[in-house]
Amino acid sequence: MTPPIPPAFPAIRMRRNRKSDWARRMVRESRLSPDDLIWPVFLVDGDNIRQPVASMPHVERLSVDQAVLAAKEARELGIPCIAPFPYTNPELRDAEGSEALKSDNLVSRACRDIKDAVPEIGILTDVALDPYTSHGHDGLMDGDSILNDETVDILCQQAINQAKAGADIIAPSDMMDGRVGAIRKALDDSGFEDIQIMAYAAKYASCFYGPFRDAVGSESQLRGDKRTYQMDPGNSDEAMREVALDIAEGADMVMVKPGLPYLDIVYRVKSTFGMPTFAYQVSGEYAMIAAAAQNSWLDHDRAMMESLMSFKRAGADGILTYFAPAAAKSMLQD
Ligand code: PBG
């Protein structure tokens, strides 16, 4: 009988498996592919418009025709899904966010044109009122408080509006209680039983959404903060309860947001529920890397890929990221 090899140096040399690129490739545990990416894009009214977003280097607001080009680019790069977010003109914003229910609003027009031109990729639409309200909140207000059940009724109508326009995945990001179940029922009652729901299940009240609010124009409007509906950054068990509820209400996929500062939550959600689990690398995370790279303080592509890999390592099945096209290009080159 051969004696067991003692699991120690010098018999064990961990560096052997790292000695060259081919050896490292053989033992790599997590891999990234364009299939892992969902590309959020910002929309703006008009034609042939590409408007830089100051706080997000290389990110632009796109008119619908340009968003169609972006969808074509996504298809060429193998990115499976695109997620349009609107910059709504201030004069169209009101206390109820009524623009969200218009069948010809920016998101609806983008869904229709993208579906027409690029039927091979998925469209994920965000359900929440903040791009449309004069106060910048995700729901209806009564004085200083956000009304839950009244908001859920409107969110159901918003979801139906998006489904009619061609959205494939409805993603409620509002954090009202009970909205996933209500939206599921509303979709089913309208004959949209094949439309998926990706719930922003554990969404934290985070300062990392700052550049996004700049991009959709809700930052200057926002009265107060979102701490009565988005989660407290100190909580982890509560995230498990949120995710469990959304699954029970019919979510097909769950999401954790923000991403990098909440990788422990991504890991815990994936290992606890085994659901298709997504992470949103949000605008502020993007801005940190892009701004540092602009100053040559970080290598742009390496920081981008390392941050994306960390999501896969934590167990995410996919990542919503503004880096999607750049990352896909980098993956296809390697
Ligand atoms: C809307 C919504 C937000 C984000 C996605 N959907 C902003 C917020 O909740 O204030 C943030 C995305 C990002 O920062 O990239 N409810």
Side-chain angles (χ1 to χ4, degrees):
M1 229 179 55
T2 41
I5 300 169
F9 181 82
I12 303 287
R13 288 182 183 267
M14 296 299 281
R15 291 181 53 195
R16 280 187 205 113
N17 286 344
R18 299 176 199 147
K19 67 183 176 187
S20 61
D21 182 59
W22 66 260
R24 291 189 292 273
R25 285 191 344 252
M26 279 176 68
V27 298
R28 188 163 296 148
E29 298 168 45
S30 300
R31 283 175 208 281
L32 280 162
S33 99
D35 290 338
D36 298 320
L37 305 173
I38 298 175
W39 183 10
V41 297
F42 296 112
L43 303 172
V44 67
D45 206 12
D47 255 323
N48 200 23
I49 292 178
R50 303 185 76 97
Q51 232 173 40
V53 176
S55 50
M56 299 180 73
H58 317 300
V59 170
E60 297 166 311
R61 298 188 192 106
L62 308 176
S63 50
V64 169
D65 56 303
Q66 298 298 305
V68 170
L69 295 183
K72 288 183 177 158
E73 187 184 355
R75 177 181 58 195
E76 303 324 316
L77 292 170
I79 297 169
C81 187
I82 192 164
F85 289 91
Y87 171 89
T88 308
N89 287 329
E91 66 272 16
L92 296 176
R93 298 176 196 228
D94 59 26
E96 291 80 41
S98 49
E99 180 69 11
L101 307 185
K102 300 273 164 67
S103 60
D104 62 345
N105 69 20
L106 259 181
V107 167
S108 302
R109 281 185 274 140
C111 286
R112 265 186 228 110
D113 289 5
I114 291 172
K115 257 291 110 121
D116 249 17
V118 198
E120 303 87 350
I121 67 169
I123 307 177
L124 177 149
T125 52
D126 197 89
V127 166
L129 297 181
D130 55 328
Y132 308 100
T133 51
S134 44
H135 44 68
H137 278 290
D138 294 28
L140 301 178
M141 296 188 81
D142 179 16
D144 281 341
S145 58
I146 312 297
L147 298 169
N148 193 87
D149 301 12
E150 293 81 349
T151 297
V152 170
D153 286 343
I154 297 194
L155 298 177
C156 290
Q157 297 172 47
Q158 183 184 18
I160 304 268
N161 190 35
Q162 293 171 345
K164 282 185 179 155
D168 300 288
I169 306 175
I170 300 293
S173 73
D174 52 283
M175 290 299 279
M176 296 301 118
D177 287 318
R179 91 282 204 213
V180 171
I183 290 172
R184 181 71 271 160
K185 179 164 189 319
L187 288 171
D188 290 356
D189 289 348
S190 302
F192 292 117
E193 49 281 291
D194 287 337
I195 302 282
Q196 294 148 278
I197 295 181
M198 181 188 292
Y200 285 73
K203 176 171 176 180
Y204 287 84
S206 169
C207 82
F208 289 101
Y209 308 148
F212 171 97
R213 292 179 191 166
D214 177 23
V216 303
S218 64
E219 180 76 342
S220 53
Q221 320 261 346
L222 185 61
R223 276 204 343 240
D225 58 52
K226 301 191 176 183
R227 284 185 253 199
T228 68
Y229 46 108
Q230 299 179 348
M231 281 184 56
D232 188 305
N235 295 351
S236 174
D237 289 344
E238 189 190 347
M240 299 303 113
R241 294 183 67 200
E242 283 283 6
V243 172
L245 284 167
D246 285 0
I247 295 170
E249 289 179 32
D252 302 286
M253 301 173 263
V254 293
M255 190 209 297
V256 174
K257 177 183 176 197
L260 276 193
Y262 296 86
L263 279 187
D264 57 320
I265 308 295
V266 174
Y267 181 79
R268 213 176 149 191
V269 167
K270 183 65 185 181
S271 24
T272 306
F273 300 102
M275 287 283 287
T277 302
F278 291 77
Y280 200 142
Q281 182 177 48
V282 300
S283 55
E285 302 174 58
Y286 173 88
M288 287 196 294
I289 293 175
Q294 266 190 337
N295 284 294
S296 310
W297 296 335
L298 285 178
D299 179 286
H300 181 276
D301 284 10
R302 290 184 59 193
M304 168 177 80
M305 297 309 281
E306 189 176 329
S307 65
L308 293 172
M309 181 62 90
S310 73
F311 291 108
K312 292 297 302 260
R313 197 183 59 240
D317 296 288
I319 308 132
L320 289 92
T321 176
Y322 303 95
F323 287 123
K329 276 178 208 154
S330 159
M331 292 169 202
L332 296 172
Q333 264 162 26
D334 289 345

